Amino acid sequence: MPTLDDILEHVGEFDRFQKQTFFILCFLSASFTPVYVGVVFFGFTPEHRCSSPGVAELSQRCGWSLEEQLNHTVPEWDGHGASFSSRCRRYEVDWNTTGISCTDPLGSLVGTGSTVPRGPCRDGWVYDSPGSSLVTEFDLVCEDSWKLDLFQSAVNAGFFIGSINIGYIADRFGRKFCLLTTIVANIVCGILLVFVPSYLWIVIIRFLQGLVSKGCWTAGYILVTEVVGPQYRRTVGILYQAAFSVGLLVFDAIAYTIPHWRWLQLTVTLPTCFLLLYYWCLPESPRWLISQGKNDKAMKIVSDIAKKNQKKMPSHFKDIKFEEDDCGKQNPSLMDLFRTPQIRKNTLILMYSWFTSSVLYQGLIMHMGMAAENMYLDFLYSALVEFPAAFIIIVTIDRVGRRYPWALSNLVAGAACLATALIPEDLHWLKVITACIGRMGITMAFEMVCFVNTELYPTYIRNLGVMVCSSLCDVGGVIVPFIVYRLVEIWHELPLIVFTVLGVIAGGLVLLLPETKGRVLPETVEDVENFHRQSAPKANKIYLQVQGSEGARG
């Protein structure tokens, strides 16, 4: 009995129809960028200091340069304003007092040799930035700097909760319905972010945006891989993720042009309205239709594929009947992921790998944004290295295998983080190069864990295994803002040391997983437990039973 993949061999596995579907879904993948890494530009923290009434007037009267003004009026100013005191404390003196000396203003106010009292920034801050961000609008600095962490953690918490619910919608109501509804919700949330006036509402809407946006991206990933033949599926999945990298470049260019975060948010949201044209441009997944017993609709789409690809579908495929081989069907449970030794080991290592990939990927983006001499250029350089990462994966996974490139990419990422931390600040160009190498390494690890995860579980718990393990990615996303933004206050390179430890451990653990190159997807628990065997039983398939004049086999 033929499968849908058998039919695609005749009507085209990756021909004109699939290429068109892939191309238009790449716009969806690219549009996910501002949601996932938008905090770099939306939450940019410029150099800042306390606003002190009377300082500007005194500076004008004395004819000070800006540097002289800062040296006289800002605590512990060292020319860079990098200390906590220079950013978050001010002298408790009245700068409007008459008779202040222009050569020693503090001495004339409190007496030479006396300790000048300091206090918090009661009158706000002065930001050295021509644009605006969440930080400058809501003063998310000093004692309130944790609120920026919460802004990014909220969207990752939304990813965590939403991926489960959106996955159910995609399986219950279809890929196309899920895609369109989440696009609408994402547009609404994106526009609301532009206009809501309070920080609290911004965090709430950011959370709601997380609920739908990752599920939207995932629904596109599922759809694009379900309309192509099996030999193109992995490559198309990797290239779909590469479209996200293209989105990084476009987002960087737009952010450079528009340095005001609300206008930037509006600019990246409005074009996504064109994604609603997917209603007319995209098909429903024929695999999902078959799984729901909607054979006629599935075959109509298959006929459209054949017509678009200018192929003729064989006559014996035109009338089909759905049949699913469900003998020995099992109901999966969470405990099945930990019940047997090999599956338990796979689960724990994969969970850690998802967590580490998320922490290092997002963490390096955030840290480079904070350390950058030119935020836009450094972001550009680090985004460009994602393209060779995708190319290396495509070239190596079927030649070298999964395990060694995966382990090496984690080790390279960890080693690059350590090197970046140890390189002196005056060699900024070298720090950027090593950080970009780390970014390339963790990008490879992130993309590899996506498809290796599916190859290490038997059929009946494969979806559950991917869902549970990948949820640690979102847990990492919730934690990483606090790792980056809090630890830099202790030592600017401390987050990189944490990333080094996480990456090196991940590289070592990956070597404990079995190699899946050239292996048939495991069907049973026994197949996974005995993965040293060179072959596995025939995988469970969805069959398309041919209805002909001679009858059909049951």
Side-chain angles (χ1 to χ4, degrees):
M1 289 179 288
T3 67
L4 180 60
D5 289 337
D6 295 329
I7 295 179
L8 288 176
E9 288 182 7
H10 291 83
V11 302
E13 294 187 82
F14 190 61
D15 217 318
R16 185 177 178 183
F17 181 92
Q18 288 93 343
K19 289 175 182 176
Q20 176 182 297
T21 301
F22 167 72
F23 178 74
I24 61 179
L25 279 172
C26 282
F27 289 101
L28 174 70
S29 181
S31 70
F32 181 53
T33 301
V35 180
Y36 196 64
V37 299
V39 67
V40 174
F41 300 117
F42 297 142
F44 171 61
T45 304
E47 197 57 69
H48 53 277
R49 58 188 181 276
C50 293
S51 176
S52 300
V55 166
E57 292 80 2
L58 177 62
S59 178
Q60 185 176 7
R61 178 174 67 83
C62 293
W64 289 336
S65 66
L66 177 60
E67 189 64 29
E68 288 174 325
Q69 174 188 317
L70 297 176
N71 284 328
H72 286 311
T73 62
V74 177
E76 299 181 15
W77 183 261
D78 60 359
H80 301 285
S83 70
F84 176 80
S85 292
S86 63
R87 289 173 170 174
C88 302
R89 291 291 179 265
R90 69 177 188 182
Y91 292 125
E92 291 291 336
V93 296
D94 184 4
W95 296 106
N96 290 309
T97 302
T98 57
I100 297 179
S101 169
C102 290
T103 56
D104 184 18
L106 291 175
S108 62
L109 285 169
V110 298
T112 303
S114 300
T115 302
V116 184
R118 301 177 184 180
C121 303
R122 295 187 177 89
D123 296 291
W125 284 262
V126 176
Y127 297 96
D128 295 333
S129 172
S132 65
S133 69
L134 279 164
V135 172
T136 62
E137 181 171 334
F138 297 103
D139 289 333
L140 306 184
V141 293
C142 300
E143 287 81 4
D144 286 335
S145 58
W146 62 271
K147 292 182 179 179
L148 180 61
D149 310 5
L150 185 61
F151 169 78
Q152 182 64 10
S153 294
V155 74
N156 280 281
F159 292 161
F160 178 72
I161 298 172
S163 58
I164 300 173
N165 298 322
I166 300 300
Y168 169 78
I169 293 174
D171 289 339
R172 177 68 179 83
F173 300 103
R175 311 326 189 195
K176 186 174 180 178
F177 175 82
C178 175
L179 205 62
L180 292 171
T181 52
T182 51
I183 287 172
V184 171
N186 196 37
I187 291 171
V188 171
C189 290
I191 293 176
L192 286 176
L193 280 172
V194 178
F195 298 104
V196 290
S198 69
Y199 165 81
L200 177 60
W201 275 108
I202 285 175
V203 171
I204 292 172
I205 295 172
R206 183 75 168 164
F207 170 76
L208 295 176
Q209 191 176 36
L211 282 177
V212 296
S213 56
K214 185 180 178 182
C216 181
W217 185 91
T218 305
Y221 181 91
I222 294 171
L223 180 57
V224 75
T225 55
E226 287 184 340
V227 297
V228 301
Q231 64 175 317
Y232 293 97
R233 203 165 293 148
R234 187 177 296 116
T235 300
V236 165
I238 294 172
L239 293 178
Y240 179 79
Q241 295 178 68
F244 174 85
S245 303
V246 175
L248 292 173
L249 303 180
V250 176
F251 184 44
D252 183 50
I254 296 173
Y256 176 76
T257 307
I258 306 173
H260 301 277
W261 83 270
R262 289 189 186 269
W263 284 108
L264 176 60
Q265 174 66 42
L266 184 63
T267 303
V268 298
T269 299
L270 289 180
T272 59
C273 295
F274 289 103
L275 299 181
L276 296 175
L277 295 174
Y278 284 176
Y279 179 82
W280 295 277
C281 300
L282 286 180
E284 180 54 89
S285 167
R287 296 180 192 275
W288 178 80
L289 291 170
I290 290 170
S291 73
Q292 300 298 307
K294 300 178 180 180
N295 295 354
D296 293 339
K297 291 183 178 180
M299 286 309 299
K300 184 180 184 305
I301 292 174
V302 173
S303 298
D304 291 340
I305 294 175
K307 183 179 179 180
K308 188 79 172 180
N309 292 344
Q310 298 179 344
K311 300 287 182 68
K312 187 174 181 180
M313 187 166 62
S315 58
H316 60 281
F317 284 153
K318 291 184 179 179
D319 296 308
I320 60 172
K321 179 181 178 182
F322 169 74
E323 182 181 89
E324 185 177 0
D325 183 10
D326 60 355
C327 59
K329 189 173 182 180
Q330 296 172 276
N331 294 318
S333 71
L334 185 63
M335 286 305 300
D336 290 333
L337 301 179
F338 302 93
R339 200 179 307 277
T340 58
Q342 185 62 50
I343 292 182
R344 179 167 59 247
K345 182 174 73 172
N346 292 352
T347 299
L348 293 175
I349 294 176
L350 287 167
M351 290 172 74
Y352 180 81
S353 295
W354 277 104
F355 174 83
T356 300
S357 296
S358 177
V359 169
L360 265 68
Y361 184 85
Q362 293 192 55
L364 279 173
I365 292 176
M366 293 177 191
H367 192 270
M368 287 189 72
M370 296 181 67
E373 290 184 355
N374 186 317
M375 175 176 60
Y376 305 101
L377 270 181
D378 288 0
F379 189 91
L380 172 66
Y381 298 148
S382 65
L384 287 173
V385 301
E386 295 199 3
F387 296 100
F391 176 77
I392 292 171
I393 292 174
I394 293 173
V395 170
T396 59
I397 55 173
D398 289 326
R399 292 175 172 83
V400 180
R402 281 81 158 130
R403 187 171 55 173
Y404 291 116
W406 188 11
L408 184 61
S409 63
N410 278 295
L411 293 173
V412 167
C417 288
L418 179 61
T420 305
L422 298 180
I423 293 172
E425 286 294 334
D426 55 353
L427 294 176
H428 180 74
W429 62 272
L430 186 57
K431 291 178 77 73
V432 171
I433 290 175
T434 55
C436 286
I437 293 173
R439 174 79 174 272
M440 182 172 68
I442 201 59
T443 298
M444 289 179 59
F446 214 157
E447 293 186 3
M448 293 190 74
V449 71
C450 291
F451 62 82
V452 174
N453 199 152
T454 65
E455 299 175 338
L456 291 174
Y457 285 107
T459 301
Y460 84 100
I461 58 170
R462 186 168 295 127
N463 287 340
L464 178 66
V466 173
M467 183 184 73
V468 171
C469 293
S470 64
S471 67
L472 269 292
C473 166
D474 303 321
V475 173
V478 171
I479 295 173
V480 68
F482 295 94
I483 294 177
V484 175
Y485 295 130
R486 293 313 101 219
L487 294 186
V488 293
E489 295 183 355
I490 301 172
W491 177 37
H492 196 275
E493 312 300 344
L494 185 55
L496 295 176
I497 303 300
V498 175
F499 299 159
T500 298
V501 175
L502 292 175
V504 170
I505 293 175
L509 290 177
V510 164
L511 292 174
L512 301 178
L513 293 173
E515 177 57 65
T516 57
K517 173 194 171 186
R519 301 287 182 88
V520 177
L521 287 178
E523 179 185 355
T524 65
V525 172
E526 289 73 21
D527 294 339
V528 178
E529 293 300 313
N530 300 291
F531 228 143
H532 60 277
R533 295 187 302 175
Q534 295 300 311
S535 62
K538 184 179 179 182
N540 207 22
K541 290 186 177 180
I542 292 177
Y543 290 102
L544 307 177
Q545 183 175 346
V546 179
Q547 288 182 322
S549 57
E550 298 180 359
R553 293 175 60 182

